[in-house]
Amino acid sequence: MTEKRPTDQRPAKLRLAIVGAGPAGIYAADILLKAERNFDVSIDLFDHLPAPYGLVRYGVAPDHPRIKGIISALRDVLDRGDIRIFGNVRFGEDITLDDLRKHYNAVIFATGAVRDADLRIPGIDLVGSYGAARFVSWFDGHPDYPRTWPLEAKQVAVIGNGNVALDVARILAKHADDLLPTEIPANVYDGLKASPVTDVHIFGRRGPTSVKFTPLELRELGELPDVDIVVYDEDFDYDDAARAAVASNKQVFVIDKVLGKWRERAHKLAEDPQAGASRRLHLHFFAKPLELIDDGTGRVGGIRYERTAPDGQGGVVGTGEIRELPVQAVYRAVGYFGSPLPGVPFDKKHGVIPNREGQVLSKGDPSSGAGSANQQLYGVYATGWIKRGPVGLIGHTKSDAMETVRHLINDLGNWWRPESPSEESIVALLDERGVEYTNLDGWHRLDQHEQALGAAEGRVRIKVVPRDEMVAISRAVAPAAATASA
Ligand SMILES: Cc1cc2nc3c(=O)[nH]c(=O)nc-3n(C[C@H](O)[C@H](O)[C@H](O)COP(=O)(O)OP(=O)(O)OC[C@H]3O[C@@H](n4cnc5c(N)ncnc54)[C@H](O)[C@@H]3O)c2cc1C
């Protein structure tokens, strides 16, 4: 069926559904409400989690309070009261694209990316091999992940040279008591407190001047109490391309400076090993992981990697020199990946909804409702990580949202013509389906509850983890269940 271009009768009101209450969804709502336009707007924001803020709540590391603080700006937007929130509502299960067409003029998908990108090397499925996204979800108290995490390894490898790799390595190496001032749930503190880890090794296949770490995150590693940073002289034999990068790029310059200081510290430590900390964080550059080694029982026993060398053009080539390091756990932090949404086109290669500046395209998928590839699917938009792919900081989702909202406004004549656009009709539908949705008042209740749990222990907040408990507190039912999280 070819998507028909709706007739150009301009509606006086835009009933908009936004799916995903992370920063991209909230910014899109805010930008639209503040935009110059000649029609009224009424926005419903859906999220499958009972609490808003997406990866700011469930991705950003708990020991980054400055970044977590972005939540207060997002909360101010929601607290204005001109956006309705429906938490604990999963698109594709509780509501479908057909439902949205019946009740809204348009939808913006802002569903982000939650799962790990694949790393296809032998041994990746061994016990003790983990995706960073799952570990992050555990330490950030995501309700849909197990409460316990197997922290039994003394030596750990983290594969990746981006900020998520640093987050994972830092949380693994940090002493649990140094995380106590944060909002980490009790189960996460207990798990980390019992961890026997002594050495965390970060592996990147390129050189120090090609990393994706940001200088601030890298420098922070050097400030961890009782953790030494270990760097290796062999990784600093720069070629012309690397020297040029240091000279021309301020970020690379700072990273090189930070690493240089750690080299000096590592030399001093080599002279007096007794002065060392009880835990170490090693940075291995020019080290391309090839295989996770089976310890004979189906568990990770080590990592095999190839030493690489600069190729003279800013890249690397394998040298054929193979090395091994004994580790009992491996975390791959090689990127996040978006997930398909039922009835919505999906680009399997890039893990995004295919779009042109936020206008969703059919990609030639017959089930999408449009005929040929790259035809605009009227009424359907995307923003944030599911639009652009899982790269970039929270601030980037704002410029994303501006672009998407601009098209949404300009497409006025092409919006859907819903048969039942009243604000009550979607509530009636959710009630009829028995969906236990949460709303803004519910979020306030949960927020206050978490802050009260924290205050009792002299902390800012302690997160509630189990979904049923979050929902019960939000919906003010079964108050007996409103206890500290497991
Ligand atoms: C580990 C980690 C650390 C990070 N640290 C930083 C940092 O320190 N600083 C920084 O600036 N950026 C950081 N980022 C990046 C930042 O989190 C992202 O840029 C931003 O969250 C992307 O926003 P988004 O709204 O597109 O997606 P998300 O934040 O993922 O929000 C998507 C929302 O959609 C909801 N959703 C998904 N599927 C459905 C569905 N089927 N039905 C209903 N709802 C659904 C999800 O529950 C979620 O709430 C970090 C990212 C990660 C992964």
Side-chain angles (χ1 to χ4, degrees):
M1 184 185 85
T2 305
E3 176 87 338
K4 280 216 184 71
R5 194 183 175 88
T7 52
D8 194 5
Q9 293 164 340
R10 289 162 190 259
K13 182 167 186 176
L14 168 63
R15 284 278 294 132
L16 175 69
I18 299 181
V19 181
I26 296 177
Y27 284 138
D30 189 37
I31 288 165
L32 176 63
L33 285 164
K34 289 177 176 162
E36 208 171 295
R37 54 189 154 76
N38 53 7
F39 50 84
D40 288 338
V41 173
S42 131
I43 302 176
D44 290 343
L45 182 57
F46 296 92
D47 203 293
H48 85 99
L49 289 167
Y53 314 130
L55 281 173
V56 189
R57 183 173 157 102
Y58 290 117
V60 170
D63 56 347
H64 280 173
R66 196 177 57 80
I67 308 293
K68 289 271 186 204
I70 291 174
I71 283 181
S72 12
L74 299 174
R75 185 172 47 213
D76 288 347
V77 174
L78 299 182
D79 283 357
R80 273 199 326 249
D82 47 8
I83 303 162
R84 285 199 305 185
I85 308 183
F86 293 91
N88 203 33
V89 178
R90 188 175 193 89
F91 176 85
E93 284 174 21
D94 301 315
I95 46 164
T96 65
L97 195 60
D98 282 344
D99 297 328
L100 296 182
R101 276 181 204 274
K102 264 188 212 139
H103 299 285
Y104 297 91
N105 297 103
V107 56
I108 299 180
F109 288 103
T111 48
V114 287
R115 69 177 187 84
D116 287 287
D118 292 335
L119 176 68
R120 294 179 203 283
I121 57 173
I124 202 72
D125 294 325
L126 289 172
V127 178
S129 162
Y130 310 106
R134 293 185 70 81
F135 182 56
V136 167
S137 294
W138 173 74
F139 70 60
D140 249 344
H142 193 296
D144 298 340
Y145 290 81
R147 296 292 102 81
T148 55
W149 191 268
L151 287 162
E152 292 138 10
K154 281 190 167 177
Q155 285 95 19
V156 181
V158 177
I159 300 174
N161 263 185
N163 281 346
V164 175
L166 290 189
D167 283 347
V168 166
R170 191 180 68 253
I171 297 290
L172 285 167
K174 206 163 174 168
H175 290 276
D177 286 338
D178 294 323
L179 282 165
L180 252 193
T182 74
E183 61 184 32
I184 54 162
N187 64 306
V188 174
Y189 171 76
D190 293 342
L192 291 169
K193 179 86 182 154
S195 167
V197 73
T198 58
D199 292 85
V200 178
H201 299 264
I202 302 181
F203 284 89
R205 73 195 161 84
R206 287 148 68 98
T209 58
S210 308
V211 293
K212 293 192 180 139
F213 311 138
T214 47
L216 205 68
E217 287 242 355
L218 185 69
R219 194 184 286 136
E220 185 187 354
L221 292 185
E223 291 155 13
L224 304 183
D226 192 31
V227 179
D228 282 332
I229 308 298
V230 185
V231 286
Y232 297 89
D233 282 343
E234 63 175 0
D235 292 341
F236 293 87
D237 193 8
Y238 289 170
D239 67 348
D240 287 346
R243 275 191 290 275
V246 175
S248 63
N249 183 318
K250 192 158 178 239
Q251 186 145 325
V252 177
F253 174 82
V254 178
I255 284 174
D256 179 60
K257 268 249 159 342
V258 172
L259 292 170
K261 279 208 180 111
W262 291 344
R263 279 177 80 188
E264 285 168 24
R265 242 199 270 173
H267 290 158
K268 282 195 190 126
L269 211 63
E271 287 163 17
D272 182 13
Q274 298 302 325
S278 70
R279 290 181 175 178
R280 284 156 299 280
L281 215 158
H282 308 249
L283 289 158
H284 301 271
F285 301 102
F286 297 114
K288 181 185 172 196
L290 296 177
E291 181 179 1
L292 308 191
I293 303 164
D294 191 329
D295 73 351
T297 69
R299 300 185 63 91
V300 171
I303 184 164
R304 183 169 294 132
Y305 62 99
E306 182 179 13
R307 182 90 186 137
T308 63
D311 65 2
Q313 285 149 30
V316 290
V317 283
T319 63
E321 182 190 340
I322 310 297
R323 298 180 180 179
E324 287 182 9
L325 188 81
V327 291
Q328 302 82 47
V330 175
Y331 293 76
R332 58 187 181 280
V334 293
Y336 276 54
F337 205 77
S339 304
L341 297 163
V344 181
F346 187 66
D347 176 342
K348 284 188 195 139
K349 191 169 169 212
H350 301 102
V352 297
I353 296 176
N355 69 90
R356 191 191 304 121
E357 298 188 343
Q359 295 171 311
V360 172
L361 303 175
S362 65
K363 264 274 176 187
D365 171 2
S367 65
S368 68
S372 58
N374 295 336
Q375 188 174 335
Q376 183 183 351
L377 262 189
Y378 294 117
V380 188
Y381 298 83
T383 194
W385 273 17
I386 196 65
K387 163 188 175 184
R388 180 170 40 88
V391 282
L393 300 174
I394 297 162
H396 295 125
T397 62
K398 205 179 230 175
S399 30
D400 256 354
M402 285 167 115
E403 185 181 65
T404 297
V405 166
R406 181 163 49 80
H407 282 297
L408 168 67
I409 293 174
N410 291 339
D411 288 349
L412 174 92
N414 292 323
W415 298 339
W416 296 332
R417 302 274 181 270
E419 64 190 50
S420 187
S422 77
E423 294 189 353
E424 301 75 44
S425 64
I426 191 73
V427 179
L429 180 82
L430 294 174
D431 284 340
E432 188 189 300
R433 290 185 182 162
V435 180
E436 293 196 313
Y437 58 88
T438 59
N439 60 17
L440 183 62
D441 286 343
W443 165 239
H444 285 153
R445 268 190 289 277
L446 179 62
D447 192 30
Q448 280 157 14
H449 180 85
E450 290 186 340
Q451 290 183 42
L453 289 178
E457 296 190 18
R459 297 165 60 187
V460 177
R461 165 191 308 273
I462 299 178
K463 269 185 188 166
V464 173
V465 182
R467 182 181 280 263
D468 53 355
E469 210 176 297
M470 292 175 79
V471 173
I473 295 164
S474 294
R475 289 172 62 93
V477 293
T483 52
S485 57

